Amino acid sequence: MIGLSTRRTAAVAAVLALSAAGCSGPGTPPAAPVATAAAAATPAPPAAPSPVPAARAGLGGRPSPSARPCTVFPADNVWHADVSRLPVHPRSAAMIGAIGGGAVHADFGSGRWEGAPIGIPVTVVPAGQRRVPVTFGYADESDPGPYPIPPDAAVEGGPDGTGDRHVIVWDRAACRAYELFDAHRSGAGWRAGSGAVFDLRSNRLRRAGWTSADAAGLSILAGLVRYDEVAAGRIDHAIRVTVPRTRTGWTWPATHSASSATDPALPQLGQRLRLKRSVDLSRLPRQARIVAEAMRRYGLIVADHGSAWFLSGAPDPRWDNDALHALGGLRGSDFEVVDAAGLMVSAGSGATG
């Protein structure tokens, strides 16, 4: 992530110099560094320590049948909003041109790239997962610990990764997501650049001006393409996307700016993009077509700085990398920026009207 604040410029620059590793999709080298960082949300209530459970469910694991289902934010949340009929933003052409006309890239898949899983992994933990201390480099915008992060939680880029090193923990029993940027094991707990806790049953956004583990101050989990969704035949949310540069300020539902640029042609963090209805998807293989259909109905949300048109997803051995590569047939010119302001009920809420 780029630009936590003016006083963090040097630290973020160092992160950017390292961020290319582990961020590229299957079979192709990274097109450009993908950077990230940040924090905040309503802190989770403290829980009494308990022994680490003997086993944890994977990303495709299911919570207990007796548990209330945990969706990633309510059905009326902006991530789930159908934007297929929203008006085109008056500066759409300029913003799309600023992002670039390159190919769409699925920055996730099966197998490994440069020794690391391809994508941003999600660790699902059960009820009672032990909470451990977490220290933050940017504590003023991070939700304080402890967090229920196990010692073997999956790290983006692998244990020795030198990129963004996101750790995403999904506690389905409590229906919360715990997200870290630049995460490293430290003693009995973890240290990170920043951290955010999201109540997945709430539409509340983080405080204005606060970041998260993403530059925009948004949840990373909410925007990931996950294999279980594609296997079920439908993605019901917008997809996280990175762009090379943004304009200062932010667009709802983002809460944080990571740029000092004032060029009105640049998009802002939080900008909603949409695949044009005129684009023919019929020849795409199934996995790619389901992703493309989601980009047409729910769109993309600009969440961070990085390579243009890189879509975020979770690694899974069941992805068909060849099918995902077919998304490269879509270009920047196949997209438009939509005006999503009419969906907003309140600046501090992700609920849509």
Side-chain angles (χ1 to χ4, degrees), residues 325-351:
H325 274 309
L327 289 168
L330 303 175
R331 317 294 292 187
S333 57
D334 293 324
F335 291 81
E336 56 200 357
V337 181
V338 299
D339 184 352
L343 297 174
M344 184 174 67
V345 173
S346 166
S349 172

Side-chain angles (χ1 to χ4, degrees), residues 161-255:
T162 55
D164 289 347
R165 294 186 59 89
H166 288 114
V167 166
I168 311 297
V169 168
W170 186 356
D171 182 344
R172 287 176 168 174
C175 208
R176 290 179 183 269
Y178 299 81
E179 304 186 359
L180 300 180
F181 160 74
D182 194 22
H184 301 262
R185 287 290 311 280
S186 178
W190 292 76
R191 60 178 172 83
S194 56
V197 181
F198 293 89
D199 180 349
L200 299 178
R201 292 195 174 110
S202 171
N203 282 320
R204 182 179 177 183
L205 299 178
R206 47 205 338 85
R207 188 178 304 177
W210 277 32
T211 184
S212 63
D214 225 351
L218 298 170
S219 167
I220 294 175
L221 174 64
L224 295 181
V225 177
R226 307 191 306 272
Y227 178 82
D228 57 300
E229 300 173 307
V230 173
R234 179 172 174 260
I235 298 169
D236 71 347
H237 60 80
I239 297 170
R240 178 184 186 265
V241 68
T242 60
V243 302
R245 298 178 63 211
T246 59
R247 184 171 86 255
T248 187
W250 59 83
T251 295
W252 177 84
T255 61

Side-chain angles (χ1 to χ4, degrees), residues 142-169:
S142 293
D143 294 330
Y147 285 22
I149 303 178
D152 60 346
V155 179
E156 180 187 13
D160 300 319
T162 55
D164 289 347
R165 294 186 59 89
H166 288 114
V167 166
I168 311 297
V169 168

Side-chain angles (χ1 to χ4, degrees), residues 103-118:
V104 170
H105 180 82
D107 200 21
F108 57 93
S110 62
R112 291 177 174 264
W113 171 254
E114 296 185 343
I118 308 164

